[in-house]
Amino acid sequence: MKQILTAILFAVATISFVALSFTVNQVHREEQRLRTDLEHRSSLFAESLKDIVEPTFTTASPKYLKAVVDRFATRERFAGIAIYDGQGNLIAADSSNLAQEFTNAGQMAGDAMNEDRAVGDFVTVADERLHIFIIPI
């Protein structure tokens, strides 16, 4: 009887371990898939904003750039949208306070401009985990 009980407990423990391992693996894969999807969608959005802003960036007024940012911000579900110059100075931002709360955005924007490549990363701002995507114009 004791051997049967031990065998049953061993089988239950083994099955539980396999199920737990499978679940952890599936969660990890889903998280990676969601991250990749978020990066792709962020890139598409940033490219479309860049296509509108880039031709007139040097001649456009900050008021025009703010209007463009506000139009994009109301169309999509974003915590915030901002445009920075090559030195990391804020040019235009939407009505959210994200640009003021996240003080490293200007530095990240300047670094992206210097490296001439898009940068995406998760950051914590005001106790919230947000995805930041920066594309040089």
Side-chain angles (χ1 to χ4, degrees), residues 9-129:
L9 287 175
F10 180 74
V12 167
T14 302
I15 291 170
S16 297
F17 177 75
V18 169
L20 180 65
S21 298
F22 179 75
T23 302
V24 168
N25 186 30
Q26 286 296 101
V27 166
H28 180 70
R29 284 185 182 183
E30 181 68 10
E31 185 178 78
Q32 287 300 107
R33 186 191 68 75
L34 289 172
R35 282 179 189 249
T36 302
D37 184 53
L38 182 60
E39 281 285 330
H40 178 71
R41 292 179 66 192
S42 297
S43 176
L44 290 176
F45 173 77
E47 286 290 336
S48 65
L49 181 60
K50 178 182 175 180
D51 289 344
I52 292 172
V53 170
E54 190 173 34
T56 60
F57 182 73
T58 56
T59 60
S61 70
K63 187 176 180 180
Y64 168 77
L65 294 174
K66 174 141 178 51
V68 169
V69 166
D70 284 338
R71 188 175 66 219
F72 268 82
T74 57
R75 243 181 25 187
E76 301 288 338
R77 291 181 21 197
F78 291 104
I81 301 172
I83 298 175
Y84 292 87
D85 65 9
Q87 288 74 38
N89 301 316
L90 183 64
I91 302 294
D94 65 349
S95 58
S96 75
N97 291 331
L98 184 64
Q100 288 77 25
E101 291 177 19
F102 182 54
T103 57
N104 292 345
Q107 179 184 0
M108 289 176 69
D111 293 345
M113 291 289 286
N114 292 338
E115 296 173 13
D116 195 30
R117 68 178 180 92
V119 177
D121 198 10
F122 283 91
V123 297
T124 302
V125 178
D127 296 331
E128 278 192 76
R129 192 153 186 225

